[in-house]
Amino acid sequence: MLTSFSTVASRNFLRRAASAQRATSKACFSSSNVEIEHYTSGWSQEDKDYYTQSGKFQIQTFNKISPKGLERFPGDKYEVKGEEFEGGTSHAILLRSHKLQEEEVNVTIRAIARCGAGTNNVPVDRMTELGIPVFNTPGANANAVKELVLCGLLLGSRRVIDGINHMTDLGKQGLAKERVEKDKAMFGGRELKGKTLAVIGLGHIGAATARDAAALGMNITGYDPGLSINSALMLPRNISLEDSITAAIADADYISINIPYIKGEGGTHGIIGKEVISHFKSDAVLLNFARGELVDSEAMKNFLDSGNGRYISDFPDDLLWDHKNSVLLPHLGASTEEAEDTAASMAADTIKDFLETGTIKNSVNFPNTTLPDTVPGAVRFTVVNTNKPGVLAHILDEFSKADMNIVQQINQSKGEVAYNVLDVDTGSKEDESVEKFNAIQEKITMLDGVLSSRVLFGPPGTGYAKNLEGEYFV
């Protein structure tokens, strides 16, 4: 077995790219060379030792991350650095709402994880071009958001907030006890039991909302063309699944939208617009705890002006903020201690699994990839490459030419990126194996189509290589 990889591997710190500045040009993803200009944080040959420190995995955090999540990183293998840290080695990034800029992604970054479901604050397409997986935490905040949706049902059925504001005004005048019984008729409402809730999007949050609303005695209709088996198992037995949004909402008293926001043609921007809203009942209540951009504000205003409908949203709206029939909350959906703990823990675990075993789970741009534990006498080797014909064959050919046996392997792809995990027999002679791994890693990394490679052995932080404009960085 190998006892040390970093000592010999350090010989491969032979070349470094020149210092970088931000450039406006972008390289085509089809090229295997990652142009130096893409790394706008700036680094030079003189910084080699600064950027290649080893001994522990370095985790760069942005925003305030739950301590319970950060505890998942054992101190003997990991060092967590806060937002104030500048420069130096970082192997992964953990963030919440921080809008990540490319200049904050150093050349040593292997992975990025967001403590939450959405990744709009991360330049996912660029990270894919650079061979960096981006992880999220689907379902971590589902219970918190679901509970607020249920609160929204009550806010939409009773004018609770109007009543609270009225009591505040009466209290200021010293008239609360005198007027309370007389004025309560101003804030009448209706019960939820027996009413119909249409749930648009039956993922973690939508399925949980449907289940718990049914427990309150509501009738449930739903629509989700991509309904998963796990979500389907959560649904109430008496749910009526429809084949379109308009069919699901036709007779609904309440409508909850729980779908992702997708920009561009065929996306979901303004999906709840004039056409869909025209099928609402005149007193329907729309609950939006997904994304503000899903709703066409002008169309919603026309609906609210024309009847007794309501709009309950967890997002700001410049047009509807003061409408008498709208209630806007300051994005409180996932703002619970429990949700933040769960999201941070999930994000930390995905980073750990990736750095230590090469496993990919819950990535928005890389394929889910799992290989059994490394077999005795083998070293794990991972390769990120463009998803085009022939690249895998060239990778395997390099191992064959080096007379190295692959014990087990897996190749997965997603869109334009492919990911390979290979367990390679080290052989009986330690020194020869180390030299072979050094040589073969460089050859594979410099193949056309390969973006990066890792040897998962030795001190944390070592064994990572990239092809930077024809220069070998390890």
Side-chain angles (χ1 to χ4, degrees):
M1 289 292 295
L2 302 179
T3 57
S4 175
F5 188 84
S6 60
T7 301
V8 179
S10 64
R11 300 171 190 168
N12 280 328
F13 296 128
L14 303 176
R15 298 185 294 272
R16 298 284 287 184
S19 61
Q21 295 180 345
R22 176 173 292 277
T24 56
S25 62
K26 299 290 184 180
C28 294
F29 184 65
S30 59
S31 170
S32 62
N33 294 346
V34 177
E35 291 189 1
I36 298 170
E37 294 87 78
H38 289 166
Y39 287 100
T40 57
S41 55
W43 52 278
S44 66
Q45 187 172 0
E46 288 73 23
D47 296 327
K48 179 183 71 176
D49 294 334
Y50 191 49
Y51 276 101
T52 54
Q53 300 172 51
S54 62
K56 291 184 178 182
F57 287 118
Q58 306 292 317
I59 309 299
Q60 172 77 63
T61 64
F62 293 92
N63 309 118
K64 183 180 179 181
I65 306 297
S66 162
K68 288 190 176 180
L70 297 180
E71 288 173 359
R72 312 287 281 203
F73 294 115
D76 61 330
K77 280 188 176 182
Y78 292 85
E79 181 179 355
V80 179
K81 303 179 292 192
E83 191 170 351
E84 69 282 354
F85 179 83
E86 294 183 3
T89 303
S90 294
H91 302 123
I93 291 175
L94 199 63
L95 49 74
R96 289 173 57 199
S97 59
H98 174 77
K99 190 169 181 61
L100 189 66
Q101 304 298 318
E102 188 180 333
E103 57 263 30
E104 295 170 319
V105 183
N106 282 327
V107 70
T108 53
I109 293 295
R110 280 84 153 155
I112 298 168
R114 180 175 182 264
C115 305
T119 54
N120 293 342
N121 57 320
V122 178
V124 176
D125 290 343
R126 279 297 292 131
M127 296 304 103
T128 306
E129 290 180 353
L130 299 175
I132 299 173
V134 177
F135 299 94
N136 66 348
T137 57
N141 63 0
N143 186 70
V145 177
K146 175 214 65 180
E147 289 185 358
L148 200 59
V149 174
L150 297 179
C151 174
L153 286 170
L154 298 172
L155 293 177
S157 63
R158 308 279 187 96
R159 289 194 175 273
V160 177
I161 293 179
D162 292 339
I164 292 172
N165 292 336
H166 185 67
M167 287 299 290
T168 299
D169 291 339
L170 292 180
K172 291 178 180 178
Q173 302 172 52
L175 300 174
K177 291 183 178 180
E178 178 183 339
R179 296 274 298 275
V180 63
E181 292 300 324
K182 178 181 179 180
D183 290 358
K184 68 180 183 181
M186 299 166 56
F187 311 106
R190 63 188 183 190
E191 297 182 8
L192 298 177
K193 186 176 181 179
K195 304 302 187 298
T196 297
L197 168 66
V199 183
I200 310 303
L202 294 166
H204 294 282
I205 297 169
T209 298
R211 178 196 61 204
D212 288 4
L216 294 174
M218 301 188 76
N219 303 312
I220 310 298
T221 64
Y223 171 72
D224 190 334
L227 180 62
S228 70
I229 294 176
N230 288 338
S231 293
L233 292 174
M234 293 178 61
L235 297 177
R237 290 185 178 182
N238 62 347
I239 187 173
S240 175
L241 293 175
E242 305 295 343
D243 60 4
S244 68
I245 293 178
T246 53
I249 67 175
D251 298 313
D253 302 293
Y254 301 84
I255 301 157
S256 176
I257 52 174
N258 310 276
I259 58 180
Y261 175 61
I262 302 172
K263 296 180 180 179
E265 185 177 354
T268 56
H269 184 89
I271 193 170
I272 307 300
K274 183 178 180 180
E275 168 60 22
V276 172
I277 292 174
S278 68
H279 291 81
F280 282 14
K281 294 173 67 173
S282 62
D283 60 350
V285 177
L286 178 65
L287 307 165
N288 181 9
F289 290 82
R291 283 291 184 272
E293 296 87 349
L294 296 171
V295 176
D296 183 326
S297 299
E298 190 66 45
M300 179 53 58
K301 182 178 185 303
N302 291 336
F303 169 71
L304 297 178
D305 288 342
S306 62
N308 194 35
R310 310 274 176 84
Y311 180 49
I312 315 298
S313 175
D314 199 24
F315 306 95
D317 193 301
D318 293 338
L319 187 62
L320 301 173
W321 66 272
D322 62 345
H323 198 287
K324 66 176 183 178
N325 287 336
S326 71
V327 175
L328 305 182
L329 305 177
H331 200 189
L332 299 177
S335 296
T336 67
E337 181 178 343
E338 294 86 349
E340 292 180 4
D341 289 346
T342 302
S345 296
M346 283 183 64
D349 286 345
T350 57
I351 289 291
K352 275 182 56 186
D353 285 346
F354 178 71
L355 292 179
E356 295 181 18
T357 72
T359 297
I360 291 182
K361 181 181 180 181
N362 295 329
S363 174
V364 299
N365 62 336
F366 271 56
N368 284 341
T369 308
T370 303
L371 200 64
D373 291 342
T374 306
V375 299
V379 167
R380 181 153 293 180
F381 198 100
T382 72
V383 182
V384 179
N385 59 273
T386 56
N387 185 22
K388 61 182 183 180
V391 180
L392 177 59
H394 290 309
I395 293 171
L396 298 179
D397 186 53
E398 291 298 333
F399 282 108
S400 177
K401 288 189 293 186
D403 196 27
M404 301 185 79
N405 182 44
I406 297 173
V407 181
Q408 60 178 351
Q409 72 176 86
I410 186 171
N411 168 263
Q412 301 280 43
S413 63
K414 183 174 184 177
E416 295 183 308
V417 70
Y419 182 64
N420 309 274
V421 183
L422 312 97
D423 285 350
V424 183
D425 189 358
T426 60
S428 58
K429 295 183 179 181
E430 176 183 322
D431 292 340
E432 290 182 8
S433 295
V434 171
E435 294 292 349
K436 277 187 176 182
F437 268 101
N438 285 329
I440 198 170
Q441 183 175 21
E442 180 170 0
K443 289 180 180 179
I444 288 176
T445 305
M446 301 308 289
L447 287 173
D448 182 39
V450 171
L451 299 173
S452 65
S453 67
R454 284 200 299 149
V455 178
L456 306 187
F457 184 82
T462 59
Y464 181 63
K466 293 184 75 73
N467 181 345
L468 297 175
E469 204 183 30
E471 294 291 328
Y472 181 57
F473 167 80
V474 64

